[in-house]
Amino acid sequence: MVKRQFDYEQKVREIRDKLEELNNLSSNMEFDLSQEIESLEEKIENNRERRYKNLSPWEKVLLSRHPERPNSNDYIRYFCEEWIELHGDRHFGDDSSVIGGIGRFNGQAVTILGYRKGKDTRENLQYNFGMPHPEGYRKIQRLLLQAEKFQRPVITLIDTPGAYPGIGAEERGQAWAISQVLMTLSALEVPVIAVVSGEGGSGGALALAVADRLLMLSNAVFSVASPEACASILWKDLERVEDMARAMKITAHDLQRLGIVDEIIEEPLGGAHLNFPEMAEKLKKALQKHLGELTSQDSGELSEERYQKLRKIGEFRG
Amino acid sequence: MEKEEEEKKVALPINCPSCSARIPAEALQRNLKVCPKCQHHFSLNARERIDLMVDNGSFQEFDADLSSFNLLDFPGYQEKLEKAQELSGSREAIITGLATVDGHKLVLGVMESSFMMASMGSVVGEKVCRAVEQAMELSCPLLICSCSGGARMQEGMVALMQMAKTSAVLGKFNQAGLLYISLLTHPTTGGVSASFASLADIILAEPGALIGFAGPRVIKQTIGQQLPPRFQRSEFLLEHGMIDLLVERSQLKETLSSLLGLHQEG
């Protein structure tokens, strides 16, 4: 049976609750168990550390989709002293699965764009589970050009299962909208830093990943298509999704080895959601560092370097 | 009468998947692989399409030796590549080169659907980029005939990044003020539709071609409804403003020639 949820932390919690009970019980009786309990607690902690160091790629997929995982909105609120969200694509509508606006980051005005997932069913319905329609990509396109006009650096946050596969999305040109964003981002003269903060699903996610620096949280994943889709298409077997997740090389470390990811931001033990302030602070520091480096570069040089970086991706013979 | 009878003996007639007509193989070939009854456009392989479009003997191929390898050690990929090469007679899923159409010089790329559904991996991305760069160097127009199932899963994120790479090179091409014509043929979906195939100045499509980002099966599964008739077909896309023109195969060369002429100075 393939695991569909990462429930390790829940099991740890259950054991800890039992220990707590035992602790209370022992204090009401004459024998003292506190030393044994302490050593058990230490064992649990060691076990956790080992466990999280050896997560399988599929377990990372599950963690990256964890319902409590911090979303783009959480990061934006943490990063920005001021934040104004902007809406709409000026063609058809406002896609709430994409959050975009202007913020003050470390004293500097920046444009931030991200895919937005919800935390509960109501929010997920509102944000379409983080899956944009063409309006979302056209909002991105508009705000990218706006950032260029006002020479604001761009920060993007990637956390989406992919572009929405629906009738309206196709009618309104999903492929056209995504391709325009790819082309626009590749030529912007302002600095662009992209962060894969959760799930990076396919071309719909890629639209925000064309950047001078691509950062990735240590439990995030980024894949050409979901492991489920690949397992069912290539192997006609959904039960082999764990093997597929491994074969596809989708983890931050795999992608750094492949030269696609520039820096990995380590998550707190157990994942970003277990200690959001620590995670957000670490990511903020990394963004500050890269932004500082990029801002000091000549803008023409910057876009040429980004271009050369993209141009080199690919391996072949002959 | 007698001659037709003989043709039937030589090759089995082909059933049109659209109107079920039985078409003698020779007749289908003569009609550019278009059903004479219902105009259904059968797939052409890359060489056939090149022959159909360019002036006789004018085609000079680029980068014919570029080939893929199993860069992620993906199970079974090497065997798939070998099989695809055998089946298609082509090294990879796109052929690029220089040619003339009614004397107009152009760089062209034609995707080969029998090679792993013309999925885009490193080699397709690289050959598209090099073709675009060649066109810039020669200051001549570019034509890419697409058909593709999308990014090649066996090359993982390296394949997905080819979308960004080809889009970036086309950004430069666009800046250079040169003409890019994209011809969408059956089927063009996924990563190819959402990158170089959509970024042209003029987008043409063959009748009845399936064109879109998500495949119809995925959409049907997601929304749990039947899809409207002719959904994602080129006629549907024309109606929704996504392409410039439907071009029947018999009119293709003439249309290209005319467009190329209209973009020539003086």
PDB file of all heavy atoms in Angstrom, chain B residues 202-228:
ATOM      1  N   ILE B 202       3.193  34.304 -36.171  1.00  0.00           N
ATOM      2  CA  ILE B 202       2.016  33.792 -36.872  1.00  0.00           C
ATOM      3  C   ILE B 202       1.872  32.311 -36.546  1.00  0.00           C
ATOM      4  O   ILE B 202       2.834  31.546 -36.675  1.00  0.00           O
ATOM      5  CB  ILE B 202       2.145  34.014 -38.392  1.00  0.00           C
ATOM      6  CG1 ILE B 202       2.122  35.530 -38.673  1.00  0.00           C
ATOM      7  CG2 ILE B 202       1.021  33.308 -39.160  1.00  0.00           C
ATOM      8  CD1 ILE B 202       2.460  35.903 -40.085  1.00  0.00           C
ATOM      9  N   ILE B 203       0.683  31.939 -36.085  1.00  0.00           N
ATOM     10  CA  ILE B 203       0.468  30.546 -35.713  1.00  0.00           C
ATOM     11  C   ILE B 203      -0.539  29.914 -36.670  1.00  0.00           C
ATOM     12  O   ILE B 203      -1.683  30.356 -36.778  1.00  0.00           O
ATOM     13  CB  ILE B 203      -0.022  30.433 -34.256  1.00  0.00           C
ATOM     14  CG1 ILE B 203       1.000  31.102 -33.310  1.00  0.00           C
ATOM     15  CG2 ILE B 203      -0.208  28.960 -33.867  1.00  0.00           C
ATOM     16  CD1 ILE B 203       0.614  31.072 -31.849  1.00  0.00           C
ATOM     17  N   LEU B 204      -0.080  28.890 -37.368  1.00  0.00           N
ATOM     18  CA  LEU B 204      -0.945  28.150 -38.283  1.00  0.00           C
ATOM     19  C   LEU B 204      -1.270  26.798 -37.655  1.00  0.00           C
ATOM     20  O   LEU B 204      -0.536  26.322 -36.795  1.00  0.00           O
ATOM     21  CB  LEU B 204      -0.216  27.902 -39.615  1.00  0.00           C
ATOM     22  CG  LEU B 204       0.505  29.088 -40.258  1.00  0.00           C
ATOM     23  CD1 LEU B 204       1.249  28.625 -41.514  1.00  0.00           C
ATOM     24  CD2 LEU B 204      -0.507  30.174 -40.624  1.00  0.00           C
ATOM     25  N   ALA B 205      -2.350  26.184 -38.091  1.00  0.00           N
ATOM     26  CA  ALA B 205      -2.647  24.840 -37.598  1.00  0.00           C
ATOM     27  C   ALA B 205      -3.268  24.019 -38.708  1.00  0.00           C
ATOM     28  O   ALA B 205      -3.977  24.549 -39.574  1.00  0.00           O
ATOM     29  CB  ALA B 205      -3.589  24.904 -36.404  1.00  0.00           C
ATOM     30  N   GLU B 206      -2.999  22.716 -38.680  1.00  0.00           N
ATOM     31  CA  GLU B 206      -3.662  21.819 -39.624  1.00  0.00           C
ATOM     32  C   GLU B 206      -5.069  21.533 -39.120  1.00  0.00           C
ATOM     33  O   GLU B 206      -5.297  21.495 -37.909  1.00  0.00           O
ATOM     34  CB  GLU B 206      -2.872  20.505 -39.751  1.00  0.00           C
ATOM     35  CG  GLU B 206      -1.661  20.649 -40.642  1.00  0.00           C
ATOM     36  CD  GLU B 206      -1.206  19.318 -41.239  1.00  0.00           C
ATOM     37  OE1 GLU B 206      -1.392  18.253 -40.622  1.00  0.00           O
ATOM     38  OE2 GLU B 206      -0.651  19.353 -42.341  1.00  0.00           O
ATOM     39  N   PRO B 207      -6.019  21.300 -40.020  1.00  0.00           N
ATOM     40  CA  PRO B 207      -7.387  21.018 -39.588  1.00  0.00           C
ATOM     41  C   PRO B 207      -7.439  19.794 -38.673  1.00  0.00           C
ATOM     42  O   PRO B 207      -6.685  18.842 -38.874  1.00  0.00           O
ATOM     43  CB  PRO B 207      -8.119  20.727 -40.902  1.00  0.00           C
ATOM     44  CG  PRO B 207      -7.289  21.348 -41.965  1.00  0.00           C
ATOM     45  CD  PRO B 207      -5.879  21.319 -41.477  1.00  0.00           C
ATOM     46  N   GLY B 208      -8.286  19.876 -37.681  1.00  0.00           N
ATOM     47  CA  GLY B 208      -8.564  18.717 -36.837  1.00  0.00           C
ATOM     48  C   GLY B 208      -7.479  18.344 -35.852  1.00  0.00           C
ATOM     49  O   GLY B 208      -7.611  17.346 -35.142  1.00  0.00           O
ATOM     50  N   ALA B 209      -6.408  19.126 -35.772  1.00  0.00           N
ATOM     51  CA  ALA B 209      -5.315  18.770 -34.859  1.00  0.00           C
ATOM     52  C   ALA B 209      -5.721  19.027 -33.412  1.00  0.00           C
ATOM     53  O   ALA B 209      -6.394  20.005 -33.110  1.00  0.00           O
ATOM     54  CB  ALA B 209      -4.075  19.583 -35.204  1.00  0.00           C
ATOM     55  N   LEU B 210      -5.315  18.132 -32.517  1.00  0.00           N
ATOM     56  CA  LEU B 210      -5.542  18.337 -31.082  1.00  0.00           C
ATOM     57  C   LEU B 210      -4.444  19.254 -30.560  1.00  0.00           C
ATOM     58  O   LEU B 210      -3.257  18.953 -30.707  1.00  0.00           O
ATOM     59  CB  LEU B 210      -5.476  16.988 -30.352  1.00  0.00           C
ATOM     60  CG  LEU B 210      -5.619  17.086 -28.833  1.00  0.00           C
ATOM     61  CD1 LEU B 210      -7.079  17.269 -28.449  1.00  0.00           C
ATOM     62  CD2 LEU B 210      -5.052  15.853 -28.151  1.00  0.00           C
ATOM     63  N   ILE B 211      -4.852  20.375 -29.983  1.00  0.00           N
ATOM     64  CA  ILE B 211      -3.891  21.364 -29.506  1.00  0.00           C
ATOM     65  C   ILE B 211      -4.331  21.850 -28.133  1.00  0.00           C
ATOM     66  O   ILE B 211      -5.488  22.229 -27.941  1.00  0.00           O
ATOM     67  CB  ILE B 211      -3.829  22.577 -30.474  1.00  0.00           C
ATOM     68  CG1 ILE B 211      -3.361  22.127 -31.863  1.00  0.00           C
ATOM     69  CG2 ILE B 211      -2.885  23.651 -29.942  1.00  0.00           C
ATOM     70  CD1 ILE B 211      -3.723  23.096 -32.969  1.00  0.00           C
ATOM     71  N   GLY B 212      -3.427  21.807 -27.171  1.00  0.00           N
ATOM     72  CA  GLY B 212      -3.800  22.309 -25.854  1.00  0.00           C
ATOM     73  C   GLY B 212      -2.683  22.131 -24.867  1.00  0.00           C
ATOM     74  O   GLY B 212      -1.640  21.571 -25.201  1.00  0.00           O
ATOM     75  N   PHE B 213      -2.898  22.598 -23.638  1.00  0.00           N
ATOM     76  CA  PHE B 213      -1.886  22.397 -22.614  1.00  0.00           C
ATOM     77  C   PHE B 213      -2.121  21.052 -21.937  1.00  0.00           C
ATOM     78  O   PHE B 213      -1.321  20.145 -22.016  1.00  0.00           O
ATOM     79  CB  PHE B 213      -1.907  23.549 -21.605  1.00  0.00           C
ATOM     80  CG  PHE B 213      -0.834  23.399 -20.556  1.00  0.00           C
ATOM     81  CD1 PHE B 213       0.505  23.364 -20.920  1.00  0.00           C
ATOM     82  CD2 PHE B 213      -1.149  23.263 -19.214  1.00  0.00           C
ATOM     83  CE1 PHE B 213       1.511  23.199 -19.969  1.00  0.00           C
ATOM     84  CE2 PHE B 213      -0.150  23.098 -18.259  1.00  0.00           C
ATOM     85  CZ  PHE B 213       1.175  23.072 -18.640  1.00  0.00           C
ATOM     86  N   ALA B 214      -3.252  20.906 -21.275  1.00  0.00           N
ATOM     87  CA  ALA B 214      -3.563  19.631 -20.619  1.00  0.00           C
ATOM     88  C   ALA B 214      -4.191  18.684 -21.637  1.00  0.00           C
ATOM     89  O   ALA B 214      -4.893  19.117 -22.544  1.00  0.00           O
ATOM     90  CB  ALA B 214      -4.525  19.885 -19.476  1.00  0.00           C
ATOM     91  N   GLY B 215      -3.927  17.410 -21.487  1.00  0.00           N
ATOM     92  CA  GLY B 215      -4.542  16.424 -22.371  1.00  0.00           C
ATOM     93  C   GLY B 215      -6.005  16.234 -22.014  1.00  0.00           C
ATOM     94  O   GLY B 215      -6.402  16.430 -20.867  1.00  0.00           O
ATOM     95  N   PRO B 216      -6.839  15.886 -23.006  1.00  0.00           N
ATOM     96  CA  PRO B 216      -8.281  15.761 -22.752  1.00  0.00           C
ATOM     97  C   PRO B 216      -8.630  14.725 -21.665  1.00  0.00           C
ATOM     98  O   PRO B 216      -9.583  14.914 -20.911  1.00  0.00           O
ATOM     99  CB  PRO B 216      -8.850  15.344 -24.109  1.00  0.00           C
ATOM    100  CG  PRO B 216      -7.700  15.038 -24.999  1.00  0.00           C
ATOM    101  CD  PRO B 216      -6.487  15.669 -24.414  1.00  0.00           C
ATOM    102  N   ARG B 217      -7.821  13.675 -21.571  1.00  0.00           N
ATOM    103  CA  ARG B 217      -8.128  12.638 -20.576  1.00  0.00           C
ATOM    104  C   ARG B 217      -7.985  13.200 -19.152  1.00  0.00           C
ATOM    105  O   ARG B 217      -8.816  12.962 -18.287  1.00  0.00           O
ATOM    106  CB  ARG B 217      -7.171  11.457 -20.781  1.00  0.00           C
ATOM    107  CG  ARG B 217      -7.720  10.125 -20.352  1.00  0.00           C
ATOM    108  CD  ARG B 217      -6.781   9.017 -20.800  1.00  0.00           C
ATOM    109  NE  ARG B 217      -5.384   9.399 -20.539  1.00  0.00           N
ATOM    110  CZ  ARG B 217      -4.629   8.836 -19.590  1.00  0.00           C
ATOM    111  NH1 ARG B 217      -5.093   7.876 -18.853  1.00  0.00           N
ATOM    112  NH2 ARG B 217      -3.383   9.239 -19.410  1.00  0.00           N
ATOM    113  N   VAL B 218      -6.908  13.967 -18.954  1.00  0.00           N
ATOM    114  CA  VAL B 218      -6.663  14.565 -17.642  1.00  0.00           C
ATOM    115  C   VAL B 218      -7.779  15.552 -17.289  1.00  0.00           C
ATOM    116  O   VAL B 218      -8.275  15.584 -16.160  1.00  0.00           O
ATOM    117  CB  VAL B 218      -5.298  15.306 -17.630  1.00  0.00           C
ATOM    118  CG1 VAL B 218      -5.069  16.010 -16.307  1.00  0.00           C
ATOM    119  CG2 VAL B 218      -4.181  14.333 -17.926  1.00  0.00           C
ATOM    120  N   ILE B 219      -8.192  16.329 -18.279  1.00  0.00           N
ATOM    121  CA  ILE B 219      -9.246  17.317 -18.038  1.00  0.00           C
ATOM    122  C   ILE B 219     -10.541  16.607 -17.655  1.00  0.00           C
ATOM    123  O   ILE B 219     -11.213  16.969 -16.681  1.00  0.00           O
ATOM    124  CB  ILE B 219      -9.460  18.208 -19.281  1.00  0.00           C
ATOM    125  CG1 ILE B 219      -8.174  18.999 -19.581  1.00  0.00           C
ATOM    126  CG2 ILE B 219     -10.633  19.160 -19.080  1.00  0.00           C
ATOM    127  CD1 ILE B 219      -8.208  19.773 -20.879  1.00  0.00           C
ATOM    128  N   LYS B 220     -10.847  15.556 -18.399  1.00  0.00           N
ATOM    129  CA  LYS B 220     -12.081  14.804 -18.135  1.00  0.00           C
ATOM    130  C   LYS B 220     -12.071  14.226 -16.718  1.00  0.00           C
ATOM    131  O   LYS B 220     -13.057  14.302 -15.997  1.00  0.00           O
ATOM    132  CB  LYS B 220     -12.220  13.688 -19.178  1.00  0.00           C
ATOM    133  CG  LYS B 220     -13.647  13.397 -19.554  1.00  0.00           C
ATOM    134  CD  LYS B 220     -13.690  12.584 -20.823  1.00  0.00           C
ATOM    135  CE  LYS B 220     -14.413  11.274 -20.559  1.00  0.00           C
ATOM    136  NZ  LYS B 220     -14.395  10.404 -21.754  1.00  0.00           N
ATOM    137  N   GLN B 221     -10.916  13.674 -16.338  1.00  0.00           N
ATOM    138  CA  GLN B 221     -10.780  13.113 -14.988  1.00  0.00           C
ATOM    139  C   GLN B 221     -10.941  14.187 -13.920  1.00  0.00           C
ATOM    140  O   GLN B 221     -11.557  13.963 -12.890  1.00  0.00           O
ATOM    141  CB  GLN B 221      -9.397  12.491 -14.822  1.00  0.00           C
ATOM    142  CG  GLN B 221      -9.353  11.001 -15.099  1.00  0.00           C
ATOM    143  CD  GLN B 221      -7.917  10.502 -15.154  1.00  0.00           C
ATOM    144  OE1 GLN B 221      -6.994  11.167 -14.690  1.00  0.00           O
ATOM    145  NE2 GLN B 221      -7.732   9.331 -15.722  1.00  0.00           N
ATOM    146  N   THR B 222     -10.349  15.357 -14.185  1.00  0.00           N
ATOM    147  CA  THR B 222     -10.358  16.418 -13.185  1.00  0.00           C
ATOM    148  C   THR B 222     -11.757  16.981 -12.973  1.00  0.00           C
ATOM    149  O   THR B 222     -12.198  17.166 -11.844  1.00  0.00           O
ATOM    150  CB  THR B 222      -9.411  17.569 -13.601  1.00  0.00           C
ATOM    151  OG1 THR B 222      -8.131  17.011 -13.859  1.00  0.00           O
ATOM    152  CG2 THR B 222      -9.299  18.625 -12.519  1.00  0.00           C
ATOM    153  N   ILE B 223     -12.456  17.258 -14.072  1.00  0.00           N
ATOM    154  CA  ILE B 223     -13.736  17.947 -13.920  1.00  0.00           C
ATOM    155  C   ILE B 223     -14.901  16.972 -13.828  1.00  0.00           C
ATOM    156  O   ILE B 223     -16.000  17.356 -13.463  1.00  0.00           O
ATOM    157  CB  ILE B 223     -13.980  18.981 -15.052  1.00  0.00           C
ATOM    158  CG1 ILE B 223     -14.065  18.283 -16.424  1.00  0.00           C
ATOM    159  CG2 ILE B 223     -12.886  20.023 -15.078  1.00  0.00           C
ATOM    160  CD1 ILE B 223     -14.467  19.216 -17.547  1.00  0.00           C
ATOM    161  N   GLY B 224     -14.643  15.697 -14.158  1.00  0.00           N
ATOM    162  CA  GLY B 224     -15.702  14.691 -14.059  1.00  0.00           C
ATOM    163  C   GLY B 224     -16.897  14.955 -14.963  1.00  0.00           C
ATOM    164  O   GLY B 224     -18.029  14.671 -14.607  1.00  0.00           O
ATOM    165  N   GLN B 225     -16.617  15.559 -16.119  1.00  0.00           N
ATOM    166  CA  GLN B 225     -17.704  15.810 -17.085  1.00  0.00           C
ATOM    167  C   GLN B 225     -17.245  15.419 -18.479  1.00  0.00           C
ATOM    168  O   GLN B 225     -16.048  15.333 -18.733  1.00  0.00           O
ATOM    169  CB  GLN B 225     -17.996  17.321 -17.175  1.00  0.00           C
ATOM    170  CG  GLN B 225     -18.675  17.928 -15.996  1.00  0.00           C
ATOM    171  CD  GLN B 225     -18.691  19.447 -16.138  1.00  0.00           C
ATOM    172  OE1 GLN B 225     -18.739  19.977 -17.241  1.00  0.00           O
ATOM    173  NE2 GLN B 225     -18.637  20.142 -15.023  1.00  0.00           N
ATOM    174  N   GLN B 226     -18.215  15.223 -19.366  1.00  0.00           N
ATOM    175  CA  GLN B 226     -17.877  15.000 -20.769  1.00  0.00           C
ATOM    176  C   GLN B 226     -17.355  16.303 -21.349  1.00  0.00           C
ATOM    177  O   GLN B 226     -17.770  17.387 -20.944  1.00  0.00           O
ATOM    178  CB  GLN B 226     -19.127  14.560 -21.539  1.00  0.00           C
ATOM    179  CG  GLN B 226     -19.562  13.132 -21.227  1.00  0.00           C
ATOM    180  CD  GLN B 226     -18.490  12.099 -21.552  1.00  0.00           C
ATOM    181  OE1 GLN B 226     -17.843  12.175 -22.595  1.00  0.00           O
ATOM    182  NE2 GLN B 226     -18.284  11.138 -20.650  1.00  0.00           N
ATOM    183  N   LEU B 227     -16.448  16.198 -22.285  1.00  0.00           N
ATOM    184  CA  LEU B 227     -15.917  17.399 -22.914  1.00  0.00           C
ATOM    185  C   LEU B 227     -16.766  17.758 -24.130  1.00  0.00           C
ATOM    186  O   LEU B 227     -17.321  16.876 -24.780  1.00  0.00           O
ATOM    187  CB  LEU B 227     -14.469  17.155 -23.326  1.00  0.00           C
ATOM    188  CG  LEU B 227     -13.560  16.776 -22.150  1.00  0.00           C
ATOM    189  CD1 LEU B 227     -12.165  16.404 -22.640  1.00  0.00           C
ATOM    190  CD2 LEU B 227     -13.474  17.902 -21.145  1.00  0.00           C
ATOM    191  N   PRO B 228     -16.878  19.046 -24.432  1.00  0.00           N
ATOM    192  CA  PRO B 228     -17.683  19.441 -25.596  1.00  0.00           C
ATOM    193  C   PRO B 228     -17.103  18.847 -26.877  1.00  0.00           C
ATOM    194  O   PRO B 228     -15.896  18.606 -26.952  1.00  0.00           O
ATOM    195  CB  PRO B 228     -17.580  20.967 -25.618  1.00  0.00           C
ATOM    196  CG  PRO B 228     -16.619  21.363 -24.577  1.00  0.00           C
ATOM    197  CD  PRO B 228     -16.279  20.186 -23.741  1.00  0.00           C
TER     198      PRO B 228
END
